Amino acid sequence: MEIIIYIPGLAYDFFEQSVKSYSKRLMKAIDENEEDEAKTYSLDINQYEYGEDSVSSVVTIYEHSADVKTERVRIYEYRYSGFLTAKIESGSIIKKSFFLFFALMERFPRFIVSLFNLRNSIPMKYKLQSIYFTLSYILVTLLSLLTLPAILTSFGNLIPDDLLTDFPTLLKVKETLVNWSRFLVGSFALILLTAPKVRSFVSVVGTEYLALNYYFKYGESRLKLIGKLSRLLEFISEREEVKNISIHGYSMGSIIGIDALFPYESSPNYRFRNKVKQLVTIGCPYDFVRTYWPHYFKDRRSSKLILENWFNVYSSLDMLSSNFRDDSKKNDPDRDVLVSGVKPKNVIFDIVNPSGLSILDYLTMLSLRAHRMYWDEDLEAKNCLSALEQKKKSLTNDKLNEQTEP
């Protein structure tokens, strides 16, 4: 039986990426790539506590062949977002908006510098889109910051104009401030009216961006996240009689998997070195991180790590995904840009041809929204895990053919 630790991405509640959904997609991928058409599959889900304040949802995929029911895959979910954002979540909206605004302003020059770094796999159009998105978010954050003083200023109407007739300058200032406050409050109210989920989305994304900035820049919460993941791995090792464990990470979850297996200036612990034999990264923002936090992946170690396979699923339309190259070619990764020199096997998952897109598509953040296109909310839809299963089967067949050749 295969054991998988599944690490989802952030913005967990805004689109379906739970372990149950991931398991159903994986089950579909296994089924449609199985040569024996008579085999069927089912699953069940449980929850286990594996440490203090730590619960894992666990899904088992069963294979049915004739009258025999066997356990095919067991998937343990590692939810980390609460640990990552715990300190920031406790702050007020105004406080978070204030720190977010300055974090974005502090990082913005790095986005500009990236335009002149031609040795990078992120295409120029995606770098420009990153700047466009950052500027948009800065404006939204600034708007939310100005809303509070605007509300207070709007109370200026309570001051009778008669009291300021002898002070024409003050009267003019009052009228200007009141008009601007009406505009700002009205604009914010219009946004909330036309897009009711935007407030919660901006709040969640803003909180997670702040947490990620502190994580990449200062290493904040990294020890906790890797420690909790290590505790889950220890729990699995005690419970399951298996020697091979896989880590599947989507988006930020793939970065956490890399951080656990290739720590900075140290070796991974015994369980990671000897139990984890396969890493799967989906929509991994490795290239994005090394572009805007250029020192993050330097001086990593993989001492005594026994990693048999690393599969990297990416899309050329997804501006956050990585091909682990210094260009955008659909070739094998470049060894000189890899963490610790360990080379993944790229699995390309493109559902549209990016060359047919217009400027309007990029202005509407299609390349950012493509980060969600590795699967659909409809669990019966095509997904990237089928391409992953095909790649794994192809490698297995190649090894068998090599063994049988004289």
Side-chain angles (χ1 to χ4, degrees), residues 243-258:
K243 295 181 179 180
N244 299 339
I245 295 175
S246 300
I247 292 179
H248 288 206
Y250 165 63
S251 191
M252 180 59 190
S254 61
I255 296 294
I256 293 174
I258 290 173

Side-chain angles (χ1 to χ4, degrees), residues 38 81 173 211 216 234 248-249 273 298 316 391 404:
S81 57
V173 169
F216 291 132
E234 185 68 25
H248 288 206
R273 290 200 313 267
K298 291 185 177 180
S316 55
K391 182 75 170 182
T404 56

Side-chain angles (χ1 to χ4, degrees), residues 55-262:
V55 177
S56 177
S57 296
V58 183
V59 177
T60 303
I61 298 177
Y62 294 95
E63 182 178 272
H64 304 267
S65 180
D67 294 329
V68 180
K69 177 182 178 180
T70 57
E71 295 175 328
R72 173 70 180 265
V73 185
R74 185 166 291 132
I75 308 170
Y76 290 78
E77 183 179 42
Y78 175 53
R79 291 280 302 273
Y80 60 90
S81 57
F83 307 133
L84 179 67
T85 61
K87 292 182 180 179
I88 300 172
E89 285 283 5
S90 59
S92 66
I93 294 177
I94 297 297
K95 182 180 179 181
K96 285 191 286 187
S97 297
F98 179 81
F99 283 109
L100 176 60
F101 176 75
F102 283 99
L104 288 167
M105 292 298 293
E106 184 266 342
R107 187 54 42 186
F108 188 72
R110 186 69 226 176
F111 285 81
I112 301 298
V113 171
S114 72
L115 295 176
F116 303 96
N117 180 12
L118 301 181
R119 272 185 57 83
N120 193 282
S121 65
I122 299 180
M124 182 62 69
K125 59 185 177 183
Y126 293 159
K127 291 178 181 179
L128 291 172
Q129 197 166 3
S130 298
I131 293 174
Y132 169 64
F133 173 77
T134 305
L135 282 173
S136 301
Y137 213 90
I138 286 173
L139 290 175
V140 171
T141 307
L142 185 60
L143 178 62
S144 64
L145 279 174
L146 292 176
T147 300
L148 180 60
I151 292 173
L152 297 176
T153 304
S154 65
F155 286 103
N157 282 326
L158 299 177
I159 303 174
D161 291 343
D162 295 341
L163 296 177
L164 300 176
T165 52
D166 295 332
F167 306 95
T169 302
L170 289 179
L171 184 61
K172 189 174 182 180
V173 169
K174 175 206 163 186
E175 291 175 352
T176 302
L177 290 176
V178 169
N179 289 334
W180 271 105
S181 66
R182 288 172 178 168
F183 171 75
L184 289 171
V185 174
S187 299
F188 202 69
L190 181 63
I191 292 173
L192 295 180
L193 183 64
T194 56
K197 293 184 179 180
V198 72
R199 183 179 180 276
S200 58
F201 179 77
V202 169
S203 177
V204 170
V205 173
T207 299
E208 292 179 347
Y209 177 87
L210 265 180
L212 289 178
N213 186 55
Y214 296 153
Y215 182 93
F216 291 132
K217 189 175 181 181
Y218 307 115
E220 189 167 304
S221 300
R222 193 184 308 160
L223 293 178
K224 179 185 288 187
L225 266 60
I226 303 305
K228 294 282 187 180
L229 178 59
S230 179
R231 181 68 193 95
L232 177 58
L233 180 59
E234 185 68 25
F235 172 78
I236 295 171
S237 300
E238 294 168 355
R239 187 171 181 270
E240 307 281 2
E241 295 182 1
V242 293
K243 295 181 179 180
N244 299 339
I245 295 175
S246 300
I247 292 179
H248 288 206
Y250 165 63
S251 191
M252 180 59 190
S254 61
I255 296 294
I256 293 174
I258 290 173
D259 284 344
L261 296 174
F262 309 100

Side-chain angles (χ1 to χ4, degrees), residues 210-368:
L210 265 180
L212 289 178
N213 186 55
Y214 296 153
Y215 182 93
F216 291 132
K217 189 175 181 181
Y218 307 115
E220 189 167 304
S221 300
R222 193 184 308 160
L223 293 178
K224 179 185 288 187
L225 266 60
I226 303 305
K228 294 282 187 180
L229 178 59
S230 179
R231 181 68 193 95
L232 177 58
L233 180 59
E234 185 68 25
F235 172 78
I236 295 171
S237 300
E238 294 168 355
R239 187 171 181 270
E240 307 281 2
E241 295 182 1
V242 293
K243 295 181 179 180
N244 299 339
I245 295 175
S246 300
I247 292 179
H248 288 206
Y250 165 63
S251 191
M252 180 59 190
S254 61
I255 296 294
I256 293 174
I258 290 173
D259 284 344
L261 296 174
F262 309 100
Y264 172 71
E265 289 289 5
S266 62
S267 298
N269 67 35
Y270 180 85
R271 293 284 179 264
F272 283 119
R273 290 200 313 267
N274 293 278
K275 287 283 189 178
V276 178
K277 302 297 176 66
Q278 180 173 269
L279 175 64
V280 174
T281 53
I282 302 171
C284 177
Y286 179 89
D287 291 334
F288 188 87
V289 172
R290 72 185 179 96
T291 299
Y292 300 116
W293 287 270
H295 300 289
Y296 186 74
F297 289 114
K298 291 185 177 180
D299 300 319
R300 296 300 185 100
R301 303 289 176 84
S302 60
S303 177
K304 300 179 181 179
L305 184 66
I306 308 173
L307 197 62
E308 295 177 356
N309 283 307
W310 176 356
F311 296 100
N312 175 59
V313 183
Y314 81 97
S315 169
S316 55
L317 183 61
D318 176 14
M319 62 180 286
L320 294 179
S321 68
S322 308
N323 64 354
F324 292 86
R325 294 182 55 84
D326 272 333
D327 56 46
S328 57
K329 294 179 180 178
K330 297 181 179 181
N331 296 337
D332 292 334
D334 290 330
R335 187 168 294 278
D336 58 342
V337 304
L338 301 176
V339 56
S340 300
V342 178
K343 193 173 183 179
K345 301 174 181 66
N346 279 337
V347 180
I348 303 170
F349 185 72
D350 282 337
I351 56 175
V352 296
N353 187 345
S355 62
L357 302 178
S358 66
I359 295 177
L360 181 62
D361 294 318
Y362 292 110
L363 289 175
T364 55
M365 303 290 184
L366 178 62
S367 297
L368 189 62

Side-chain angles (χ1 to χ4, degrees), residues 6-26 43 45 47 57-59 75-79 250 375-377 379 385:
Y6 168 59
I7 313 176
L10 293 173
Y12 187 91
D13 296 324
F14 285 94
F15 70 104
E16 190 54 69
Q17 53 173 321
S18 68
V19 67
K20 184 177 180 180
S21 298
Y22 188 82
S23 301
K24 286 185 176 180
R25 295 176 181 118
L26 180 60
L43 56 79
I45 184 168
Q47 284 194 331
S57 296
V58 183
V59 177
I75 308 170
Y76 290 78
E77 183 179 42
Y78 175 53
R79 291 280 302 273
Y250 165 63
W375 44 67
D376 192 88
E377 291 186 1
L379 300 179
L385 299 181

